[in-house]
Amino acid sequence: MAVTREVVLAALKDIADPVGQGDIVSSGVMRALNVDGSSVRFVLEIDPAKAKLYEPVRAQAEERVKAIAGVETASVVLTGHSAKAPPPDLKSGQRKAAQPEGPQKVPGVARIIAVASGKGGVGKSTVSANLACALAAEGKRVGLLDADVYGPSQPRMLGVSGRPASPDGKTILPMRNHGVTMMSIGLMTNEDQAVVWRGPMLMGALQQMLMQVQWGALDVLIVDLPPGTGDVQLTLSQKFALDGALVVSTPQDVALLDARKGIDMFRQLNIPIIGMIENMSTHICSSCGHEEHVFGHGGVAAEAAKLDVPLLAEIPLHLDIRLASDGGAPIVTSKPDSAQAQSFRNVAKTLIADGVV
């Protein structure tokens, strides 16, 4: 049986944090969990002054993981940092610094590309994660901002756990995995905790995640937008120098109705449409190989031609893509030689060849 992140986390959830509240998973002391086949690695990030308290915990965690069926090697390391100030409160709108006029650049970020959809459930986040990993595999310095505040999924898809650190209480250090620098509101909340915010809170959180995160030098920052044409989309388009948008849709008419609205919104805001991606284009049975067009076929291609925008890819509906995303290693990284991964790699190569990235 394959070792999964969920199995590892479940094995650790009853190990008490000797300093924080609860167990070492919920308290956030456990970070950088990496499950690679039969090998499991993670760190316990602690105050160096409390190293003696945590050494028995480290040993217990390592033994607990080694006892999991299928695990051959386990490495748990104590990493010491001085006490940090908590990350900035993304909900607060208390600081009202003077805002610059017009769209602004994010420091260190060469280009910002939004991945959008008119409606939910079309696989936009899966496309965003795989495209980010594909661009990183091509040698680009890539960041991924999970701007879907109500339904953040990128921490799970990229296999990132723990809470981001803040060295000064003002800036946030993003997380990194699979060659991608990532930030998500999902890292600031518990996985089963709802985000119940009004529009101003959403806009404030988006601006802070863009301007107060230490993104470093990036060739491109991909922004995984929530579905629709609401506050987050408008804030991003009006306040930040957005270089273009990719629109994801399934072939069915209901999805295309909303995709048209998304494209019209970007055009009204003078944001270039880089292209469209047809996701769940065709279903290929994993047992017999039979191909079936569950959601119809060619709808996005026809719409792209009608709107005079490129059709960048037709991504199949395949079980491996879903399993890879749920497992925290997008198919571009977990099965890079598969036909499904190649679909995303081709999009990345096209964007590079066209000078978009």
Side-chain angles (χ1 to χ4, degrees):
M1 184 178 68
V3 182
T4 65
R5 291 172 50 81
E6 289 73 18
V7 170
V8 174
L9 292 172
L12 299 171
K13 281 189 174 178
D14 62 347
I15 299 180
D17 184 339
V19 174
Q21 295 183 347
D23 57 82
I24 60 174
V25 176
S26 62
S27 68
V29 72
M30 191 197 79
R31 296 176 179 268
L33 173 61
N34 184 284
V35 179
D36 185 7
S38 61
S39 177
V40 177
R41 302 184 301 276
F42 60 89
V43 302
L44 299 179
E45 187 173 296
I46 64 168
D47 183 342
K50 298 181 173 63
K52 288 185 178 180
L53 281 174
Y54 277 99
E55 177 53 36
V57 175
R58 184 205 66 78
Q60 182 184 5
E62 194 168 272
E63 289 302 315
R64 189 72 60 83
V65 173
K66 285 180 179 177
I68 297 173
V71 173
E72 295 180 3
T73 60
S75 174
V76 183
V77 177
L78 293 180
T79 177
H81 295 279
S82 57
K84 310 177 190 71
D89 182 4
L90 295 180
K91 293 186 288 186
S92 70
Q94 297 170 358
R95 291 190 300 271
K96 296 186 178 180
Q99 296 294 322
E101 295 295 328
Q104 56 185 311
K105 298 283 287 184
V106 175
V109 177
R111 300 190 180 183
I112 304 176
I113 294 176
V115 179
S117 67
K119 67 186 286 94
V122 300
K124 166 188 51 60
S125 294
T126 300
V127 170
S128 299
N130 278 282
L131 179 57
C133 292
L135 287 168
E138 295 298 319
K140 296 297 181 180
R141 297 168 299 178
V142 184
L144 176 59
L145 172 60
D146 187 355
D148 193 348
V149 177
Y150 289 133
S153 54
Q154 293 301 345
R156 170 64 65 91
M157 290 189 175
L158 287 180
V160 174
S161 61
R163 297 187 186 273
S166 177
D168 56 7
K170 297 178 182 178
T171 58
I172 306 170
L173 302 181
M175 311 297 271
R176 184 173 174 83
N177 203 11
H178 306 304
V180 176
T181 302
M182 190 273 284
M183 182 60 200
S184 169
I185 196 67
L187 297 172
M188 301 290 197
T189 61
N190 295 327
E191 194 172 39
D192 56 354
Q193 179 182 350
V195 176
V196 187
W197 291 354
R198 295 186 184 276
M201 291 182 178
L202 293 177
M203 292 182 284
L206 177 63
Q207 292 182 69
Q208 287 179 277
M209 286 195 294
L210 279 163
M211 300 303 292
Q212 291 181 230
V213 170
Q214 293 184 4
W215 290 107
L218 298 179
D219 295 312
V220 61
L221 175 63
I222 294 174
V223 182
D224 178 17
L225 288 173
T229 55
D231 289 329
V232 172
Q233 290 84 346
L234 289 173
T235 299
L236 179 71
S237 301
Q238 293 177 335
K239 293 187 176 295
F240 296 94
L242 191 60
D243 293 280
L246 293 170
V247 177
V248 180
S249 178
T250 56
Q252 67 188 115
D253 291 341
V254 173
L256 286 167
L257 285 172
D258 293 326
R260 293 186 193 108
K261 296 173 185 175
I263 290 174
D264 182 61
M265 176 196 70
F266 285 120
R267 286 183 164 170
Q268 288 187 45
L269 296 169
N270 297 316
I271 305 299
I273 303 298
I274 297 170
M276 297 184 71
I277 293 176
E278 182 175 278
N279 196 31
M280 308 181 201
S281 177
T282 181
H283 173 252
I284 302 172
C285 178
S286 57
S287 298
C288 66
H290 173 69
E291 182 177 357
E292 187 173 16
H293 300 292
V294 178
F295 298 110
H297 183 64
V300 178
E303 193 66 25
K306 177 182 175 182
L307 297 171
D308 194 27
V309 298
L311 176 66
L312 296 175
E314 294 179 335
I315 309 294
L317 175 63
H318 199 281
L319 178 62
D320 285 348
I321 297 177
R322 195 274 296 172
L323 290 175
S325 296
D326 284 351
I331 197 164
V332 166
T333 60
S334 59
K335 293 187 176 181
D337 297 326
S338 65
Q340 295 76 37
Q342 196 58 47
S343 298
F344 295 108
R345 294 288 294 269
N346 289 340
V347 175
K349 290 176 180 177
T350 298
L351 296 181
I352 294 170
D354 291 346
V356 175
V357 177

